[in-house]
């Protein structure tokens, strides 16, 4: 079955830039989405269609795509950004939703 | 504003069927979009269960397909999940969500914890 691969954890100091990657063979053909999830809360969409930012999401969140890898970048990380981040896409047929395993972002 | 709300029993016995409903407000299911179920076991990641269109067209996670049924009731503006023959491994927070045309998930319910235990 199709998989998306994320690093389990990323750590940064406040004010630095955090980059979280997500790899998958179908990413050149399917859009990627990123979600932020804080403890006890539902996931929140922070990036859609690889690099678009929903209204209400701070400008420090951005997304990019290159080949089979997509990247979520958080510039000027703040303490409130500490959370789990999940990438999500579809398989090559475009009929099945797939999630990455999640990355825990720790703000030191 | 689109809102989704899950409801159903919080405790299900092993081998029985888990049943949940997602009530949608602020948008008519009949107007379009796919609608889906996602779950998250305690301390673990997100897992897609399946999705349904207002016409009744469905897609299921292959790993759960034999036990899952998702249905839609446009008259009540809600859709439902049934998962049969549950075990402790099905204990999770279950979310419902709306899928965008390119299969992102833009609106989520708050989630409901379902525990499988005798």
């Amino acid at each position: 079955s199709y998989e998306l691969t994320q690093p389990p954890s990323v750590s940064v100091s406040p004010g630095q830039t955090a980059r979280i990657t997500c790899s998958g063979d179908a990413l050149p053909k399917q859009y990627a989405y990123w979600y932020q999830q804080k403890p006890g809360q539902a996931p929140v969409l922070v990036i859609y269609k690889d690099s678009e930012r929903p209204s209400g999401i701070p400008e420090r969140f951005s997304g990019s795509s290159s080949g089979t890898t997509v990247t979520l970048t958080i510039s000027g990380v703040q303490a409130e950004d500490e959370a789990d981040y999940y990438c999500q896409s579809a398989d090559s047929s475009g009929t099945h939703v797939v999630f990455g395993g999640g990355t825990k972002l720790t703000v030191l | 504003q689109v809102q989704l709300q899950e409801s159903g029993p919080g405790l299900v016995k092993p081998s029985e069927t888990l049943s949940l409903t997602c009530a949608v407000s602020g948008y008519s299911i009949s107007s379009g979009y796919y609608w889906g179920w996602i779950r998250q076991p305690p301390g673990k990641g997100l897992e897609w269960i399946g999705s349904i269109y207002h016409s009744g067209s469905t897609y299921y996670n292959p790993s759960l397909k034999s036990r899952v049924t998702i249905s839609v009731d446009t008259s009540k503006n809600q859709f439902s999940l049934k998962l049969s023959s549950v075990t402790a491994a099905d204990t999770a927070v279950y979310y419902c969500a709306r899928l965008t045309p390119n299969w992102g998930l833009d609106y989520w319910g708050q989630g409901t914890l379902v525990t499988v235990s005798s």
Side-chain angles (χ1 to χ4, degrees):
Chain A
S1 62
Y2 181 53
E3 294 183 350
L4 295 174
T5 301
Q6 299 179 235
S9 63
V10 169
S11 299
V12 295
S13 299
Q16 290 190 329
T17 296
R19 294 181 179 85
I20 301 173
T21 59
C22 173
S23 299
D25 289 341
L27 288 175
K29 296 180 289 187
Q30 302 291 347
Y31 283 120
Y33 301 81
W34 290 95
Y35 305 89
Q36 176 193 68
Q37 187 181 35
K38 295 182 178 180
Q41 298 183 18
V44 172
L45 181 67
V46 295
I47 294 291
Y48 67 97
K49 292 173 69 175
D50 292 346
S51 59
E52 301 295 320
R53 192 174 54 251
S55 61
I57 300 302
E59 291 184 7
R60 64 180 181 274
F61 288 86
S62 63
S64 61
S65 175
S66 179
T68 59
T69 299
V70 294
T71 302
L72 172 68
T73 301
I74 310 172
S75 304
V77 167
Q78 301 181 6
E80 67 195 50
D81 299 329
E82 185 164 285
D84 293 326
Y85 291 84
Y86 293 90
C87 65
Q88 177 257 310
S89 186
D91 65 359
S92 57
S93 70
T95 58
H96 293 78
V97 172
V98 180
F99 287 98
T103 299
K104 181 175 181 57
L105 175 66
T106 299
V107 182
L108 301 170
Chain B
Q1 178 75 341
V2 180
Q3 293 185 314
L4 297 91
Q5 179 67 57
E6 306 90 349
S7 62
L11 181 64
V12 180
K13 290 182 168 54
S15 79
E16 295 190 344
T17 296
L18 179 159
S19 296
L20 295 174
T21 296
C22 181
V24 179
S25 59
Y27 189 86
S28 173
I29 286 180
S30 298
S31 296
Y33 288 96
Y34 270 84
W35 303 84
W37 288 97
I38 301 95
R39 70 180 183 178
Q40 184 172 37
K44 296 188 178 181
L46 300 167
E47 179 181 35
W48 172 69
I49 300 171
S51 305
I52 190 165
Y53 198 58
H54 65 81
S55 64
S57 171
T58 55
Y59 295 105
Y60 296 136
N61 186 325
S63 68
L64 298 169
K65 186 175 182 178
S66 64
R67 298 194 291 131
V68 173
T69 301
I70 297 176
S71 59
V72 63
D73 186 338
T74 55
S75 67
K76 295 182 179 179
N77 214 39
Q78 64 186 33
F79 59 104
S80 299
L81 167 70
K82 290 188 184 300
L83 181 65
S84 64
S85 304
V86 297
T87 69
D90 295 309
T91 293
V93 175
Y94 286 75
Y95 295 99
C96 58
R98 188 179 81 166
L99 281 79
T100 68
N102 294 110
W103 293 85
L105 300 146
D106 57 356
Y107 291 97
W108 293 66
Q110 66 184 26
T112 187
L113 174 63
V114 179
T115 301
V116 178
S117 175
S118 55

